[in-house]
């Protein structure tokens, strides 16, 4: 199966076909517990990540939370 062409934070990226948003975070090696995900200008809640499928042409904004002070 060919990979899906998507955008992540404005940059072209690919993702395996059939992947969920949760799978995408794993594919990108991101800390799943400390990120916010927006898909096509809509926030993907943490409890929706496993059931939301990545589709060709999707645009994602992924923000990592950083602690400090």
């Amino acid at each position: 199966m060919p990979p899906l062409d998507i955008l992540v934070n404005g940059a072209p990226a690919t993702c395996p076909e059939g992947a969920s948003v949760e799978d995408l975070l794993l594919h990108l090696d991101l800390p799943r517990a400390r990120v916010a995900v927006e898909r096509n200008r809509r926030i993907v809640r943490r409890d929706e990540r496993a059931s939301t499928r990545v589709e060709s042409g999707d645009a994602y904004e992924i923000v990592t939370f950083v602690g400090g002070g």
Side-chain angles (χ1 to χ4, degrees):
M1 290 182 197
L4 301 173
D5 292 322
I6 60 173
L7 289 176
V8 176
N9 296 345
T14 60
C15 182
E17 189 171 341
S20 67
V21 172
E22 188 76 11
D23 296 331
L24 173 62
L25 295 175
L26 288 168
H27 177 73
L28 297 173
D29 197 28
L30 291 172
R32 295 170 299 156
R34 296 187 355 239
V35 298
V37 180
E38 182 184 272
R39 174 185 180 246
N40 301 327
R41 299 182 178 242
R42 182 187 160 274
I43 297 293
V44 179
R45 294 184 349 201
R46 192 176 307 237
D47 62 348
E48 297 174 332
R49 291 179 185 173
S51 62
T52 302
R53 294 285 165 223
V54 175
E55 296 182 24
S56 185
D58 280 351
Y60 291 88
E61 292 295 325
I62 302 173
V63 179
T64 303
F65 299 113
V66 179

